[in-house]
Amino acid sequence: MANKGPSYGMSREVQSKIEKKYDEELEERLVEWIVMQCGPDVGRPDRGRLGFQVWLKNGVILSKLVNSLYPDGSKPVKVPENPPSMVFKQMEQVAQFLKAAEDYGVTKTDMFQTVDLFEGKDMAAVQRTLMALGSLAVTKNDGHYRGDPNWFMKYVATGSLFLSLGPFVRWRWFGLVSHDKDKVQLSQEGHKKAQEHKREFTESQLQEGKHVIGLQMGSNRGASQAGMTGYGRPRQIIS
């Protein structure tokens, strides 16, 4: 653990709420996937938030995880033969994972910060990033994902992590079917990354489009010169 003093007052209250978002059931799912994806050499953590943090803290396992999603010869993160022991080296390794995860397709809003993991400030955010990474790996379907795709396609969340994500993120990740305070039942559709949909237009269609007045510029519908006098003529006032 990094050297940091205990939290007091409001800080402690905020930290307590963050810690309650951590989902131990989701932790088990993520551990199974990481071991399947990276191989048994990565070992297994002690159960619980602290054990999960210590397991991932030096960034080596995370780096192996994201590397496993790429073909041989194009691994994005260099993994040291011996796990780094110096604090700045460990944080640098975690930062490399985050960069590689973002390049893979994980959005910035789904990314945890290095201190979230290294100091254990928000392990729920770490879970969120790993879920987004796994969901993307399933969606890409490029042969590099290992494990049961249903781990990321169907998940019944009973903890507060999932409920804290907000309805849009829940829908984007899992396809929300019903929302209950104590239990969330999810569809099997899983995370679907937006796919590119190109449209082809003919030259004549492109030319016609130049004459269309966009709604942002207003509309001339209903416009009429009825009742208007010609230019230069005085207005007739009848008393």
Side-chain angles (χ1 to χ4, degrees):
M1 292 288 290
N3 294 325
K4 63 185 183 73
S7 301
Y8 297 99
M10 183 65 72
S11 297
R12 181 58 201 162
E13 183 179 347
V14 171
Q15 186 62 35
S16 178
K17 289 182 179 180
I18 291 174
E19 290 174 359
K20 287 179 181 178
K21 294 179 183 179
Y22 185 80
D23 192 324
E24 293 192 356
E25 182 181 348
L26 181 56
E27 173 199 307
E28 294 179 10
R29 178 72 54 85
L30 290 171
V31 169
E32 290 300 324
W33 174 53
I34 292 172
V35 172
M36 181 71 71
Q37 192 72 40
C38 300
D41 292 344
V42 298
R44 289 178 178 270
D46 293 333
R47 294 190 63 178
R49 188 175 59 86
L50 179 59
F52 194 59
Q53 181 214 358
V54 171
W55 191 48
L56 302 176
K57 180 180 174 181
N58 63 17
V60 171
I61 292 176
L62 291 175
S63 298
K64 290 181 178 180
L65 176 64
V66 73
N67 279 352
S68 70
L69 300 175
Y70 285 84
D72 292 337
S74 60
K75 306 296 185 183
V77 182
K78 182 178 180 181
V79 180
E81 294 183 5
N82 298 316
S85 57
M86 301 181 69
V87 170
F88 80 94
K89 285 291 185 181
Q90 293 178 347
M91 297 183 74
E92 185 179 79
Q93 196 70 39
V94 174
Q96 289 184 52
F97 159 78
L98 292 173
K99 175 63 167 59
E102 185 176 343
D103 291 342
Y104 188 74
V106 178
T107 62
K108 288 186 177 181
T109 54
D110 287 336
M111 302 284 283
F112 68 85
Q113 301 296 314
T114 303
V115 294
D116 293 336
L117 170 61
F118 200 81
E119 297 183 3
K121 287 184 175 292
D122 191 353
M123 290 303 296
V126 177
Q127 289 184 318
R128 183 171 66 244
T129 300
L130 293 175
M131 284 299 296
L133 183 65
S135 298
L136 277 171
V138 172
T139 303
K140 285 177 182 287
N141 193 27
D142 56 8
H144 298 297
Y145 175 84
R146 303 187 189 103
D148 185 352
N150 289 321
W151 287 347
F152 296 96
M153 289 185 173
K154 184 178 181 181
Y155 178 67
V156 178
T158 55
S160 58
L161 165 70
F162 188 80
L163 298 178
S164 72
L165 299 179
F168 175 74
V169 178
R170 287 195 297 268
W171 169 82
R172 183 164 63 85
W173 272 6
F174 303 104
L176 187 60
V177 174
S178 64
H179 186 159
D180 186 89
K181 183 177 180 180
D182 299 319
K183 185 175 182 179
V184 178
Q185 179 64 48
L186 308 166
S187 74
Q188 296 183 354
E189 294 182 1
H191 176 287
K192 293 185 177 180
K193 187 176 177 62
Q195 301 296 321
E196 184 179 26
H197 180 55
K198 289 186 176 181
R199 297 182 182 182
E200 300 293 339
F201 296 96
T202 64
E203 185 63 28
S204 61
Q205 288 175 321
L206 293 173
Q207 291 298 325
E208 290 176 7
K210 293 180 180 179
H211 303 292
V212 176
I213 299 176
L215 293 178
Q216 295 92 334
M217 302 176 68
S219 173
N220 61 355
R221 285 191 177 185
S224 171
Q225 291 183 330
M228 295 179 63
T229 60
Y231 293 111
R233 295 184 60 187
R235 183 178 178 186
Q236 300 297 319
I237 301 176
I238 303 175
S239 57

